[in-house]
Amino acid sequence: MDKTSVIGVLLGVVALLVGMVAKGTSLAVLVNPAAILIIFVGTIAAVLIAFPTNEIKNVPKLFKILFSDQKEQKIVDVIPFFVECSKVARQEGLLSLGNKIEEVEDPFLKQGLQMTMDGMEPEYIRDTMEEEIAAMQDRHAVGAGIFTQAGTYAPTLGVLGAVLGLIAALGDLNDMDALGYAIAAAFVATLFGIFSGYVLWHPFANKLKRKSKQEVMVKQIIVEGVLSIQQGVAPRAIEEKLLVYLPIRERNKLQSTDGKGADIDA
């Protein structure tokens, strides 16, 4: 579970409710079927119009990504793996990587090692793997774009809901008490629109972009590691080359934990 997503949503809801109570607003005003219909159903309708079916059907997967930690390769795991592969390849040849490939679960890493073992040209390996990264980025951009558009539509629909509410409220000016309540209720749609747009949909889009960027970085490291092994780069040189992707503190921690900085063959 991605705790930051869950905590963020809960904090946003709590902040809204506590803020309303602190301002002396009754929470009962949130029970407004018309506002809920206009904002949430209206946002869904707008998104359905804006995106084709094959992209919309991935929305459940996007929510899973937002609220769960995906089992993917991590930089701190990839670097020692490539150092070990380099040792094996230099001592026993590239064909000896077959045993290492069997240990790999990540399809992208397995593909790169397999192409290396098959003797593919470096340019072909790089082009193939980078094309796959580019295709993945395009898919991720579409997913983030869905939430970005939802975040754009929701506040605007909130204004629409407020206008509709005011039209209904101003239709009868005889009862001033009822008029005041009707005007307050009219702005509930605006509240829902702004809250969902800027506390949910836009932040969701940003988190998807951040997770995509992290995944791209790992895959770029894999590309460099695979090509370095094929070129026969020394284990120490591979480690130093890949460590540049990590912050200084994590580099030092990795080196002190595995001890490879002291015993990697040059």
Side-chain angles (χ1 to χ4, degrees):
M1 177 182 291
D2 190 329
K3 295 180 180 179
T4 57
S5 294
V6 177
I7 293 173
V9 172
L10 292 178
L11 281 178
V13 173
V14 169
L16 173 64
L17 298 180
V18 173
M20 290 180 64
V21 172
K23 288 291 186 179
T25 304
S26 172
L27 297 181
V29 300
L30 296 178
V31 184
N32 189 321
I36 294 173
L37 181 69
I38 292 172
I39 300 307
F40 293 102
V41 178
T43 299
I44 293 173
V47 169
L48 289 174
I49 295 171
F51 294 88
T53 304
N54 65 312
E55 295 176 357
I56 291 295
K57 68 182 182 181
N58 292 323
V59 169
K61 295 180 181 178
L62 297 177
F63 277 107
K64 183 178 179 181
I65 294 173
L66 286 167
F67 290 96
S68 64
D69 289 322
Q70 303 297 301
K71 294 182 179 179
E72 298 171 350
Q73 292 286 343
K74 297 182 179 179
I75 297 177
V76 293
D77 297 326
V78 169
I79 295 176
F81 176 79
F82 277 120
V83 170
E84 184 62 28
C85 285
S86 177
K87 286 183 178 180
V88 172
R90 285 166 63 87
Q91 293 172 2
E92 304 175 22
L94 290 176
L95 294 178
S96 63
L97 293 177
N99 294 330
K100 287 291 184 182
I101 293 178
E102 294 178 359
E103 302 173 4
V104 175
E105 296 182 0
D106 182 74
F108 187 76
L109 175 55
K110 180 175 289 189
Q111 178 191 24
L113 291 175
Q114 187 63 56
M115 288 191 293
T116 298
M117 202 174 73
D118 292 342
M120 301 291 186
E121 293 294 326
E123 294 79 7
Y124 176 82
I125 295 176
R126 181 180 292 278
D127 289 345
T128 301
M129 299 184 78
E130 289 186 346
E131 283 294 332
E132 185 164 343
I133 293 175
M136 182 194 72
Q137 287 179 294
D138 289 339
R139 294 193 300 271
H140 290 182
V142 170
I146 291 175
F147 287 107
T148 298
Q149 290 301 105
T152 301
Y153 301 143
T156 305
L157 288 169
V159 175
L160 173 62
V163 170
L164 293 176
L166 289 175
I167 291 174
L170 296 176
D172 183 9
L173 299 178
N174 295 324
D175 188 343
M176 298 306 295
D177 291 335
L179 176 63
Y181 177 81
I183 292 176
F187 285 101
V188 173
T190 304
L191 184 153
F192 282 151
I194 295 175
F195 179 84
S196 63
Y198 293 105
V199 180
L200 297 178
W201 310 136
H202 277 305
F204 283 171
N206 187 71
K207 171 151 281 189
L208 288 174
K209 292 175 183 177
R210 294 301 303 167
K211 287 194 172 187
S212 175
K213 187 175 181 179
Q214 292 171 358
E215 187 174 351
V216 168
M217 180 181 295
V218 173
K219 291 189 181 301
Q220 289 174 338
I221 291 174
I222 290 175
V223 173
E224 296 302 325
V226 166
L227 293 175
S228 296
I229 289 175
Q230 186 189 50
Q231 295 165 6
V233 177
R236 184 188 299 278
I238 290 181
E239 183 185 49
E240 293 176 349
K241 181 178 183 180
L242 300 184
L243 281 176
V244 300
Y245 289 91
L246 289 174
I248 297 295
R249 180 180 299 178
E250 292 188 22
R251 296 182 202 177
N252 296 335
K253 182 179 179 180
L254 180 62
Q255 289 177 323
S256 63
T257 299
D258 59 26
K260 286 185 171 62
D263 59 9
I264 296 177
D265 297 332

